[in-house]
Amino acid sequence: MTNEQRDQVLRRVAAALTQVIHPATGEDVVSSGRVRELDVAEDGMVRFRFALQADDPGTLVRQARSAAERVEGVERVKIDISLPSTGAPMKKGAARAGSVPAPTPNSGLLPQVRRIIAVSSGKGGVGKSTVAVNLAAALAAEGKRVGVLDADVYGPNVPVMFGERRQPQVSDGKRLVPLEAHGVRLMSLGFLLQPDQAAIMRGPMIAGILKQFIEQVEWGELDVMIVDMPPGTGDAQLSLVQTLRLDGVVMVTTPQDVSTGDVLRGIKMFEKTNTRVLGVVENMSGFICPCCGERYEIFGRAGGLRLAGQTGVEFLGEVPLEMRVRQGGDAGVPVVVSEPDSPAGEALRKVAARVAALLSHGDTEARR
Ligand SMILES: Nc1ncnc2c1ncn2[C@@H]1O[C@H](COP(=O)(O)OP(=O)(O)OP(=O)(O)O)[C@@H](O)[C@H]1O
Ligand SMILES: [Mg+2]
């Protein structure tokens, strides 16, 4: 079987598994995170791990198996079932999503912020800021108190994507007041730096400045802060991760192999620092033609799924390439606000819901 054929089978299996629904919750077994590490071997053997939850009916795994077996091109199906956690201590050094102990609510730099997550990738231009901004707007629309910290000093574009170009005010306590757009509190280092200042700073310097900067901002109480990271896996990212004490990271990739290679390095970097990788989002996966609604696979297929399979990190979903996503970004209205029911809007809202679920799962674990 060629790689192309494997990708096709992988996609078909993933689609078939999304039809397997938990009878009580109405969630499918893929987006609820039960199916993990999905992979197809050259000989047509499909393999995945099924993370069984405490209240799952026994038939769910059987249904998943027969859904996968019915897919064209599948020769055999092997499922590794992992049982629900009993709360026993985790093995040292485990740093993958689903295997790391959930973090306690953030108590480091920003005690009023319950969770700090970053949106990152190994590579530039894959849609980190787009995903960060839409995640934030979607969570705010669900009633969460959300902040976005634009940590991309090299090309801060969060203000534009939120349609906010004003200078932040300074409060009586001599602290910066975040701007607010689409229900999201917003701060960008770009407000304070001259454009060429960022280019001459080394990574650790940036993290130091950012730390001071964060402490000088009146964020108030937040349920979640989303940090839009600069591209790459260098010093700047590493120092940022250590400074911010992240509760989790959402990795963004495009389906291209190059991009997934970069994101793999990114995932490794986060694992080394014991930062929980919440999952991977495949962005720009397929172009939806505005005229006919047909989908074209411009950047190849299934990169994100394959990556999730290789690394054991959860696949959080795929966001199609759509003109309105870019237009929304340029116009300062995230697509989840302007067109929440468009394919991209819906995909991004699903990712946001999954991220919220992963973070609140952390809350229950932390209370144990
Ligand atoms: N799904 C999509 N459909 C259409 N356009 C998109 C999509 N995702 C991102 N874009 C557009 O691609 C460009 C790059 O996206 P974005 O700025 O979010 O990437 P980035 O990873 O943050 O880049 P950088 O590394 O420069 O920070 C933007 O113009 C954005 O509007
Ligand atoms: Mg960006």
Side-chain angles (χ1 to χ4, degrees):
M1 201 186 276
T2 63
N3 276 348
E4 179 73 10
Q5 286 166 331
R6 281 170 64 190
D7 286 349
Q8 281 171 9
V9 173
L10 193 65
R11 265 184 196 270
R12 285 202 292 264
V13 172
L17 289 171
T18 58
Q19 303 304 313
V20 179
I21 309 287
H22 190 292
T25 64
E27 288 178 317
D28 73 78
V29 293
V30 177
S31 37
S32 60
R34 285 174 174 78
V35 171
R36 298 176 183 194
E37 296 159 46
L38 178 62
D39 206 4
V40 179
E42 268 170 23
D43 61 359
M45 183 173 88
V46 167
R47 192 178 184 138
F48 57 87
R49 187 155 68 80
F50 196 101
L52 204 63
Q53 313 280 310
D55 56 349
D56 281 354
T59 49
L60 211 55
V61 179
R62 232 179 301 139
Q63 284 173 5
R65 172 183 293 282
S66 42
E69 279 172 348
R70 281 197 299 272
V71 170
E72 194 193 325
V74 172
E75 294 298 331
R76 261 174 318 139
V77 176
K78 181 152 185 0
I79 306 176
D80 305 309
I81 299 175
S82 56
L83 296 173
S85 147
T86 54
M90 297 282 182
K91 261 194 256 158
K92 245 186 165 175
R96 287 200 168 147
S99 66
V100 268
T104 48
N106 198 291
S107 58
L109 204 53
L110 291 164
Q112 291 156 293
V113 179
R114 289 176 59 76
R115 297 280 184 217
I116 304 183
I117 62 166
V119 178
S120 185
S121 74
K123 200 182 162 208
V126 297
K128 289 179 293 301
S129 303
T130 303
V131 169
V133 159
N134 278 284
L135 275 189
L139 292 173
E142 296 292 319
K144 296 246 182 324
R145 296 165 301 176
V146 187
V148 168
L149 172 67
D150 183 0
D152 187 354
V153 287
Y154 303 109
N157 44 18
V158 167
V160 174
M161 288 184 170
F162 271 104
E164 196 43 271
R165 289 160 200 266
R166 288 173 299 168
Q167 287 287 310
Q169 302 289 307
V170 178
S171 71
D172 292 346
K174 302 267 181 293
R175 282 154 45 109
L176 288 165
V177 182
L179 296 165
E180 192 161 335
H182 307 297
V184 176
R185 285 173 227 171
L186 166 68
M187 192 48 82
S188 169
L189 200 50
F191 291 137
L192 307 182
L193 291 173
Q194 298 300 321
D196 52 351
Q197 253 179 315
I200 56 167
M201 283 195 285
R202 288 175 298 112
M205 257 168 96
I206 291 178
I209 291 178
L210 197 69
K211 178 168 182 278
Q212 275 182 7
F213 169 65
I214 295 168
E215 287 166 339
Q216 297 303 313
V217 176
E218 267 179 19
W219 288 104
E221 302 250 330
L222 292 181
D223 295 312
V224 56
M225 171 184 280
I226 299 179
V227 184
D228 183 18
M229 297 282 279
T233 44
D235 269 0
Q237 286 72 15
L238 205 60
S239 317
L240 270 179
V241 174
Q242 283 155 349
T243 307
L244 290 169
R245 292 221 239 143
L246 298 173
D247 295 298
V249 185
V250 171
M251 297 300 288
V252 182
T253 181
T254 64
Q256 289 155 294
D257 280 339
V258 207
S259 167
T260 51
D262 283 323
V263 84
L264 197 60
R265 271 190 289 282
I267 290 176
K268 292 217 171 99
M269 179 191 85
F270 287 114
E271 289 187 342
K272 261 193 221 139
T273 57
N274 277 323
T275 306
R276 179 186 182 196
V277 179
L278 296 170
V280 53
V281 176
E282 184 180 296
N283 187 32
M284 309 188 186
S285 61
F287 169 66
I288 299 190
C289 172
C291 308
C292 60
E294 186 137 352
R295 187 183 159 112
Y296 298 95
E297 308 297 337
I298 294 181
F299 291 130
R301 306 187 67 150
L305 259 181
R306 205 179 323 119
L307 181 81
Q310 276 169 14
T311 56
V313 158
E314 183 173 330
F315 185 61
L316 294 171
E318 52 184 27
V319 181
L321 189 67
E322 271 193 278
M323 208 102 87
R324 57 187 136 209
V325 175
R326 195 211 24 90
Q327 285 164 343
D330 290 349
V333 188
V335 71
V336 294
V337 174
S338 61
E339 295 189 62
D341 297 324
S342 62
E346 210 179 316
L348 284 157
R349 285 191 297 126
K350 264 194 177 165
V351 173
R354 183 65 195 143
V355 167
L358 285 169
L359 292 175
S360 69
H361 175 64
D363 282 342
T364 12
E365 294 268 306
R367 276 201 296 272
R368 276 191 189 155

